[in-house]
Amino acid sequence: MGNNVRASWNVSLDQLRQNIDHNNDKAKDALIGAFRWCIDPAHPVSRYEFAHATGINENTLYKIIAGKHVHPDTKERLPLSGKFVKAVNEWLELQAERFSGGSADFVLTPTARKIHNGCDLARESQTPVIVWGPSHIGKTWALEEYTHSNNHGRTVYCRMRAASGLGGMVKRIADRLGISAKSNTLDLVDRIKRALTPNMVLILDEIHLLRHTYRVQSFFACLEVIREIHDETRCGMVLCGTQLFLRDMKAGQHEELEQVWRRGVHKLHLPNMPTKADLAAIFRERGLEFPSKKLVVTVTHQAGDQEVRITECPFDVLRQLAKQEGLKSITERVRYGQKLASKSKRKITWTHVMDAHLRIQKQATPEPDWS
């Protein structure tokens, strides 16, 4: 997100909530949803562009978000007009449709649906939902899609970073909430609490990375702050990580871990590898049926001056990739296969996918030396 775009929205989420608190819930949700959409690095929109798109005067919009939109005589803050709220909601719907169209790669697999249901449970129950599973099975893919398809000011996605410590975690959450990080850690925690509401969901992804810090106690301090934020805001939370996070949580040797674990009534254990059902859903979207165990395809490759015919069993290749490398390794081979099929102006088949698989393997093989 460009600095100019964020600078045009010269207000933080906690400040915006305070400045428009005199409005009804529908109006507040609309403007907060628009604010969070506009400052998102995935689709930044300046305040001036937003004003033009929703048909409001730029100066009036500034006064609204700054809490200066008042009656000239009584000096009471004026509510948002119904016409403006309607325009904002229509604009948000249009943006969501456009964004979804641009992210057509996402497929709602059974695992993704389980993760989305977990996010809904977090919002409904106002409790932490603990999600764990191995890397590369589509956790982040599903969480990011949920965030963008529910981006009405009530869903916040925050991906943790390694070795950032408590201060880094708090700044990361503040940034995703649209809060300026120009405060000390304690002040930022208070501002985060003011920005979150019970009808919101805070998604903390890759939470196991908080373990990688130069201070052993920092991880437990991070979890204690997460618990504190939940207890005081009653917002829903999704805490997503790998088995490393689960191992620490189940150990129960530290009070901070036990406190968070007990609050997580809903706990979702994801599959250990991409499932056949997940892959079948993705393949159907690409015009492929899940290959049978007996299917064998032959690919012709050039080896020097000679053509070499290589036979592959797609089922066996997929099973090996799912176990060893994860979902992305498979979806990339399908994407590459589609590219090869389009070059020959044909519909994608498993021969194209296996061709892509062999090309990817060859890229990872060093060229022979002079000998």
Side-chain angles (χ1 to χ4, degrees), residues 64-283:
I64 289 172
I65 67 173
K68 299 179 180 180
H69 187 47
V70 299
H71 191 281
D73 298 324
T74 65
K75 304 303 179 184
E76 290 184 2
R77 287 186 294 176
L78 297 172
L80 301 178
S81 71
K83 180 181 178 181
F84 176 58
V85 173
K86 182 174 182 290
V88 172
N89 281 323
E90 290 175 349
W91 181 84
L92 277 171
E93 289 178 7
L94 179 61
Q95 299 309 303
E97 288 175 6
R98 288 176 175 172
F99 187 87
S100 296
S103 59
D105 285 344
F106 178 77
V107 178
L108 187 60
T109 64
T111 296
R113 185 179 293 109
K114 185 174 184 178
I115 292 171
H116 285 196
N117 289 341
C119 294
D120 288 336
L121 286 171
R123 192 188 309 278
E124 295 164 8
S125 65
Q126 299 177 339
T127 64
V129 170
I130 299 172
V131 181
W132 72 91
S135 300
H136 308 300
I137 60 166
K139 299 190 300 298
T140 295
W141 195 30
L143 290 172
E144 289 180 336
E145 177 63 24
Y146 181 88
T147 301
H148 290 299
S149 61
N150 291 270
N151 198 332
H152 40 55
R154 297 182 180 179
T155 307
V156 182
Y157 173 83
C158 183
R159 190 171 185 173
M160 297 291 99
R161 289 174 174 168
S164 60
L166 176 61
M169 182 197 77
V170 171
K171 287 181 180 179
R172 185 78 166 156
I173 296 173
D175 177 71
R176 300 306 295 141
L177 280 167
I179 297 172
S180 171
K182 296 179 181 178
S183 300
N184 62 46
T185 299
L186 290 178
D187 287 342
L188 280 179
V189 171
D190 286 338
R191 296 183 69 183
I192 288 170
K193 293 174 184 175
R194 292 196 295 269
L196 293 168
T197 57
N199 60 7
M200 293 180 69
V201 173
L202 175 61
I203 300 171
L204 302 180
D205 192 14
E206 306 283 10
I207 198 166
H208 57 279
L209 293 179
L210 295 175
R211 301 171 71 254
H212 304 303
T213 179
Y214 59 93
R215 289 180 55 206
V216 175
Q217 295 302 316
S218 180
F219 175 57
F220 307 118
C222 288
L223 291 182
E224 175 61 18
V225 167
I226 290 171
R227 180 205 61 77
E228 179 185 321
I229 290 171
H230 169 261
D231 285 355
E232 294 193 27
T233 64
R234 307 309 300 175
C235 75
M237 284 187 173
V238 176
L239 309 181
C240 184
T242 64
Q243 287 93 331
L244 290 174
F245 177 56
L246 174 68
R247 185 187 66 189
D248 287 337
M249 296 293 283
K250 279 190 169 182
Q253 296 176 351
H254 295 270
E255 183 180 354
E256 295 86 351
L257 300 179
E258 185 179 9
Q259 291 290 329
V260 175
W261 180 256
R262 287 187 174 183
R263 281 164 174 75
V265 178
H266 299 283
K267 300 177 177 70
L268 309 183
H269 188 177
L270 302 179
N272 293 326
M273 57 187 282
T275 67
K276 289 177 64 176
D278 289 343
L279 295 178
I282 294 171
F283 296 156

Side-chain angles (χ1 to χ4, degrees), residues 12-26:
S12 291
L13 180 57
D14 55 330
Q15 296 168 335
L16 179 62
R17 285 196 184 281
Q18 182 178 348
N19 294 341
I20 65 171
D21 191 52
H22 58 289
N23 288 276
N24 60 43
D25 289 342
K26 183 178 180 180

